[in-house]
Every structure is written in C-alpha cells, then in structure tokens.
Amino acid sequence: MVASAVFILDLKGKVLIARNFRGDIPMSAIDKFMTLVTDNEEDGAEVAPVVSDPDTGIHYLFMKYNNLYLVALTRKNSNAATIFLFLQRLTEVFIEYFKEVEEESIRDNFVIIYELLDEMMDFGYPQTTESKILTQYITQESHKLDIGTRPPMAVTNAVSWRPEGIKYRKNEVFLDVVESVNMLVAPNGNVLRSEVLGAIKMRCYLSGMPELRLGLNDKVMFDASGRTPRGKAIEMDDVKFHQCVRLSRFENDRTISFIPPDGDFELMSYRQATQLKPLILCEAAVENYSGTRIEYMIRAKAQFKRRSTANNVEILIPVPEDADSPKFRTTMGTAAYVPEKSAIVWKIKQFQGGKDFLLRAHFGLPTVKNEDLDKRPPISVKFEIPYFTVSGIQVRYLKIVEKSGYQALPWVRYITQNGDYHVRMPEPVKSGNRVMQPL
C-alpha cells in the first residue's frame, strides 16, 4: 500500500483535517473529489468507493462514516483493500479516543488526530494501528509531554498489539463461540435462504507474553492429517483472523497459534452457507373481515433439541397501520401491540426445544385500505440459545504456554442467536373462507 495523503471531509466536501505523507500529490487535489463523486451519482449508478481523475491520474479511495468522508489519495497502483482496512482502523481508533466520530469530535480534537495520523502511517505505509497500544503513549495531553517520553516496547516489537510487562494475580481466558443465523422462510415453511455467521471472541487476562494454541473440529485439518474425528467435523468458509494469528502456521497444519492482545478482541470469524431447518418456525394464518376487522393466529415451534432452551424470544408480527382495539390470547408469554412499529410483539422468556405455543390476536380496522401484498414486512424473530451451535463447531483444546510456567484457566461458552431471521407473511384469507374460530 502507498497512500500519499489522507483527508477527513464533511458531507459538503470541506476539508476538516488532512495529512500529506509523501508530498507527491498537491493538497489542492482534494478539491476535485466531490465533483467526481457527484458526477457518478448523476449517472444513476451506485457510487464506487474508488473514483479517479483521468486528467491527473490521482485515485480517490473513500469511505463514508456518519457525517464524514475519510479519503485516501494515491497515484500508484496501490493495494485498495489495505487502504480501506487502514481507513476502517482509523475510525476504530477515533472511536476509542472520542467515543463518537463525527464532524464536531474531529473539530474538537485536531491536535490528537494529527499525532495519531503521524503514528499510524509513515510515508504512506501503515504502522501501529492497535488502539490499545496507541492509548498508552498518545493521550489527550500528549502534545504537552516531555521529549523524553518513550513509546511502549510494543511499538518497536514484532508483537505490536500487546505491550510487555502485563501481570495478573489470576490468569484466565474466556472464549465465546457466537453464531448468528440468517434465514428467510416462506409462508409454507420452506427455507428460501439460510447461512450461519460465526465468531470466536476472547477476553484474555494473562500475564507476560503467552503463546496460545486453539484446536477446532476442522474437517480440513482432519482430512490433511488422515485422522478420524471423535464427533462431527465441520467446514468453514470465509475465515478471517485477527492480526495476532500466525497465518503461515494455519495454512501449513491448520493450527491456530497466536500471542493474544490484552483484554477483549475477536480472534476469528467464519461463514457457513448451508441449508438449515428453522430453529423457531412461525406458522401464520390471517383472516380479513371485509376491512372491518382482522384476526391472526401464529404458531411458534422450537425445532431444536429438548435439552436446549431459547432465552428472551421476541416475535414481531406486522399488522396494518390503521389497526386498533387489540385483543390477545397466548398459551405462553405475553403479547402487546406496539403502534410505532405497527406490529404485535410476542415475548417468551424461555422457549424449550420441541415445544410449540399459540398466539391469537384480533384487531379492528377503522378504515378500508388496499394493502400492497408485495410490500408487507415479514415476521421477525429474535432469540438466544446458550450452550448450542448450529454449525456443530467445537473447541477441542486451548493450550496456554508462557515461559514462567503459570497455570491459567480457560473458559469456553457457546451461544447461537438470530441474525436477519424472517418469516414471510401469508396472504390474508377473506372472512367467507374461515380458517380459525372467533377469539
């Protein structure tokens, strides 16, 4: 990557702050940025995150965040993905310092931003981008520090994400395997789209500079070694790692080896595109009485094993905007009409696997509206199932090695939760074709 300059602009294109790292691009080049963006918008196409000026050969790589544009300029054939990753890391560092990243926070923190830009990039190449390290030696008063102030060893070490000299009285590692289920279900119960997005999140309270090795039931690893797994082996797509993981080691023998950052971080993420059955299936029947009233019957069924329990289940059922006089009856949980969402919210605190429950709802319709069936929002479902994963991923071992030889306690927790989890509503049945008994 070579980024010649980085600019932060407001939505009108006015420069709030800028840093020219190489001097091979004039600062006035940013004046053409908004013109190039608006020209692309007028063409009707979605604006690409890279625009170029054919007259000067300058490329503008940008991302929009709140009411700001973060723009990197380059004349070279640079690695665009690396530049965008740097801009993303820049916003994360700003969030660590200012909590909110917007025009006002940029204006209030010019001095600290210039110092951060100087530390995070040198002559167009990224340097230290780990906020936990930067906050140790660049403070809000850093411009007042003595010249003798020295940066932490992590800045000059190969392990730039972890400072030396960390000590804890009790050494512990908490590991959370969190899977989010994205699913779209047709009114008849057929799954139209499903995928699992997983992440392994860690919280490390370890002294010194420990080496960790994590083993998963990875099918590729078992196939390569010729070993037979004790249980299910899984395949993971789109695997992404934190920078602390030794990628060469993973590519060679699928071992996840790393020196962890201190505190909270996401070790890895993955995706699994697979055909799943709905964890919580919602069957709906809607009956419309000539525009005078409308009735709903929703059956929710937990299609996971009985030993698991979904917590804090929330089913949101859309209703017409002009509905009033709600009446409800449920076999479990509570239901309420939320007018600002034009929806029924059905809450079930604990939903055991294999169980099914009913909701009956009745609304009056004071006006007659022709509802556009194609624009009806779907039922959305929220839930969290502890001690359960959809993919079947398992942590086989977590080894912690540190030269002092201390004993550390690893804790592992599994959680499955909803992502974009929706069930399409059926077409309402006219009152002459009764599908349910009166409430």
Side-chain angles (χ1 to χ4, degrees):
M1 165 198 177
V2 177
S4 295
V6 173
F7 289 80
I8 301 176
L9 317 176
D10 65 15
L11 291 180
K12 295 180 180 178
K14 183 180 178 181
V15 178
L16 301 176
I17 197 166
R19 186 73 173 84
N20 196 329
F21 295 100
R22 298 176 66 87
D24 60 342
I25 289 180
M27 298 294 280
S28 58
I30 197 64
D31 297 340
K32 284 195 172 182
F33 170 69
M34 288 305 295
T35 304
L36 293 168
V37 171
T38 52
D39 285 350
N40 283 354
E41 286 177 342
E42 289 172 1
D43 292 341
E46 187 175 339
V47 181
V50 181
V51 292
S52 302
D53 183 359
D55 298 330
T56 61
I58 296 173
H59 308 290
Y60 301 79
L61 296 87
F62 68 96
M63 60 178 282
K64 192 175 178 182
Y65 191 90
N66 289 340
N67 56 355
L68 301 170
Y69 284 105
L70 285 82
V71 190
L73 277 63
T74 181
R75 264 201 176 99
K76 299 182 179 293
N77 185 18
S78 303
N79 186 325
T82 306
I83 292 178
F84 286 122
L85 181 58
F86 175 80
L87 295 178
Q88 178 62 37
R89 294 292 297 153
L90 189 62
T91 61
E92 292 172 4
V93 170
F94 287 171
I95 290 171
E96 184 74 25
Y97 275 87
F98 318 135
K99 305 304 178 189
E100 296 289 336
V101 181
E102 54 188 24
E103 184 178 339
E104 186 178 352
S105 63
I106 298 297
R107 292 184 185 278
D108 290 343
N109 294 281
F110 280 154
V111 173
I112 198 76
I113 290 173
Y114 275 119
E115 293 197 27
L116 288 169
L117 287 171
D118 286 341
E119 291 296 335
M120 294 177 69
M121 182 170 280
D122 182 27
F123 201 59
Y125 295 93
Q127 302 298 310
T128 304
T129 60
E130 189 66 42
S131 59
K132 291 179 181 178
I133 302 301
L134 290 165
T135 52
Q136 290 187 37
Y137 68 103
I138 297 183
T139 67
Q140 291 288 359
E141 296 77 36
S142 58
H143 60 284
K144 299 177 184 176
L145 294 179
D146 295 333
I147 296 175
T149 301
R150 300 174 66 183
M153 285 294 292
V155 176
T156 53
N157 256 355
V159 186
S160 62
W161 53 87
R162 183 181 179 90
E164 292 186 346
I166 297 174
K167 291 183 179 179
Y168 287 102
R169 293 179 62 185
K170 186 177 183 181
N171 292 285
E172 294 181 303
V173 177
F174 298 90
L175 190 149
D176 285 345
V177 180
V178 181
E179 291 191 339
S180 299
V181 179
N182 293 339
M183 183 170 287
L184 179 62
V185 184
N188 62 2
N190 291 337
V191 176
L192 304 176
R193 184 176 67 249
S194 64
E195 67 173 357
V196 178
L197 300 180
I200 296 181
K201 301 179 181 181
M202 298 190 73
R203 180 177 297 175
C204 287
Y205 302 117
L206 298 174
S207 304
M209 199 67 72
E211 173 86 21
L212 274 64
R213 287 194 292 275
L214 176 67
L216 304 173
N217 56 333
D218 180 7
K219 186 176 186 298
V220 177
M221 185 273 293
F222 283 113
D223 290 347
S225 61
R227 294 159 56 194
T228 303
R230 291 183 180 178
K232 178 183 177 183
I234 69 160
E235 293 186 65
M236 296 178 288
D237 303 318
D238 300 337
V239 179
K240 297 177 184 177
F241 289 109
H242 187 276
Q243 61 175 325
C244 66
V245 175
R246 295 182 177 89
L247 294 181
S248 58
R249 179 83 183 270
F250 180 76
E251 289 167 359
N252 287 336
D253 58 12
R254 305 292 285 192
T255 298
I256 303 172
S257 173
F258 57 99
I259 296 173
D262 188 43
D264 296 345
F265 69 101
E266 183 173 291
L267 177 67
M268 64 176 285
S269 62
Y270 58 92
R271 183 178 67 87
Q272 213 182 40
T274 181
Q275 191 70 15
L276 302 170
K277 70 176 182 180
L279 294 174
I280 296 180
L281 178 64
C282 292
E283 299 172 333
V286 185
E287 191 165 347
N288 195 330
Y289 291 80
S290 304
T292 59
R293 71 182 192 273
I294 191 167
E295 292 187 4
Y296 294 83
M297 182 172 68
I298 311 294
R299 181 188 297 273
K301 183 176 182 180
Q303 300 192 128
F304 46 87
K305 293 180 180 178
R306 289 183 177 274
R307 65 171 179 262
S308 296
T309 300
N311 296 330
N312 303 315
V313 176
E314 188 175 295
I315 302 171
L316 192 144
I317 304 113
V319 299
E321 294 179 358
D322 57 343
D324 68 0
S325 307
K327 295 179 183 177
F328 304 109
R329 190 169 69 200
T330 66
T331 57
M332 178 61 73
T334 60
Y337 174 48
V338 183
E340 59 269 23
K341 294 183 179 179
S342 296
I344 306 164
V345 177
W346 182 16
K347 295 182 179 181
I348 303 171
K349 194 167 184 180
Q350 290 190 316
F351 201 150
Q352 188 180 349
K355 297 283 187 180
D356 64 279
F357 303 115
L358 279 175
L359 163 71
R360 299 282 301 277
H362 172 284
F363 288 89
L365 293 173
T367 61
V368 178
K369 279 190 170 183
N370 292 322
E371 194 177 9
D372 190 342
L373 299 179
D374 294 332
K375 294 182 179 179
R376 284 178 302 159
I379 296 172
S380 62
V381 186
K382 296 180 181 179
F383 57 85
E384 185 176 278
I385 310 174
Y387 317 113
F388 176 83
T389 60
V390 180
S391 69
I393 190 172
Q394 290 181 347
V395 175
R396 295 171 47 242
Y397 61 82
L398 179 61
K399 297 179 181 178
I400 304 166
V401 180
E402 212 278 332
K403 61 183 180 181
S404 65
Y406 61 71
Q407 296 296 312
L409 299 172
W411 304 87
V412 182
R413 181 173 61 169
Y414 299 92
I415 301 171
T416 294
Q417 61 190 19
N418 66 285
D420 292 325
Y421 194 107
H422 301 293
V423 181
R424 286 180 175 169
M425 290 287 286
E427 183 176 347
V429 176
K430 300 296 182 183
S431 57
N433 304 316
R434 179 175 291 277
V435 294
M436 63 185 81
Q437 296 300 315
L439 190 65

